[in-house]
Amino acid sequence: MITPIDELKVQAKKLLKNTDLAKIIPLSANTPHQLKHTQLYLARQLGFTDWAHAKSILSCDYDLEAQNEIQAETQLQFGSLWHSRKCDTLLNTWCRNYQEAKQVQRDSGGIILPYKSQFILASADYFTALNIPFEQERWQQINNNWCTGDKQIRQQLLLPILIQSRQTE
């Protein structure tokens, strides 16, 4: 199974071979482009501060249910990969913290998705706007909550987002 980290590494290596790389990632005249530059570029495109930050989130090695809520929310910044301007016209519920998102989900339903340090309650239309398939069965396996549950399922749900981001560049 390819992981989100593997997908980003492939994208970074392909970007490194791009003949217009200097236009995409400007460096000083005497600095040759290296893999670390394309990894940093891709990480920042997804809303992460750097490559290590992207790896820590995309690895899905955390579980907000298993951590101290306050500690988890102040330490985790999820990037912006689950959001696109295409979704701005949809009426999604935005929550300032994970506890609020869980309460709204209990009351009204929806799928919990992270955005930086906030959370979105989305519907199937949200995935249509992102131009990725809505895999209802997989979402049900993690209780419609990307922030917790089986690591492999969460990683597999990320792959279409990363592949879509590559196709829109």
Side-chain angles (χ1 to χ4, degrees):
M1 170 187 91
I2 187 168
T3 68
I5 304 290
D6 295 335
E7 172 63 25
L8 270 190
K9 285 179 181 177
V10 168
Q11 289 182 27
K13 288 175 184 175
K14 286 182 178 180
L15 184 57
L16 189 59
K17 295 176 183 176
N18 188 322
T19 56
D20 292 332
L21 188 57
K23 294 178 186 174
I24 299 168
I25 308 171
L27 297 175
S28 63
N30 296 330
T31 306
H33 282 91
Q34 298 175 12
L35 184 59
K36 66 181 180 180
H37 298 124
T38 57
Q39 289 174 333
L40 176 62
Y41 173 79
L42 291 175
R44 288 188 175 161
Q45 290 294 106
L46 296 172
F48 300 111
T49 55
D50 55 32
W51 181 251
H53 180 207
K55 283 176 58 176
S56 71
I57 297 299
L58 299 177
S59 69
C60 299
D61 284 336
Y62 60 87
D63 185 327
L64 287 183
E65 296 290 335
Q67 295 182 358
N68 172 316
E69 297 290 336
I70 295 170
Q71 177 187 6
E73 288 183 34
T74 57
Q75 290 179 349
L76 288 177
Q77 294 289 324
F78 289 95
S80 57
L81 68 153
W82 281 112
H83 186 266
S84 167
R85 306 244 343 119
K86 299 175 199 171
C87 302
D88 287 350
T89 59
L90 300 173
L91 297 176
N92 300 300
T93 304
W94 285 76
C95 301
R96 67 181 170 265
N97 60 49
Y98 183 63
Q99 287 298 89
E100 181 184 353
K102 287 190 338 184
Q103 183 61 50
V104 170
Q105 185 189 47
R106 278 192 290 276
D107 296 344
S108 306
I111 297 165
I112 298 176
L113 299 173
Y115 174 77
K116 298 184 180 181
S117 62
Q118 300 174 2
F119 298 86
I120 307 164
L121 271 287
S123 66
D125 292 341
Y126 193 87
F127 297 90
T128 301
L130 289 174
N131 200 26
I132 60 170
F134 175 65
E135 300 179 46
Q136 185 171 1
E137 186 176 311
R138 283 192 184 187
W139 283 104
Q140 288 173 342
Q141 291 174 334
I142 58 170
N143 298 316
N144 293 325
N145 183 348
W146 189 81
C147 303
T148 188
D150 185 271
K151 173 182 170 175
Q152 287 186 335
I153 292 172
R154 291 189 291 154
Q155 287 181 338
Q156 287 301 302
L157 288 167
L158 271 176
L159 282 174
I161 293 263
L162 298 174
I163 292 168
Q164 181 64 25
S165 71
R166 172 178 28 147
Q167 294 170 349
T168 57
E169 286 184 353

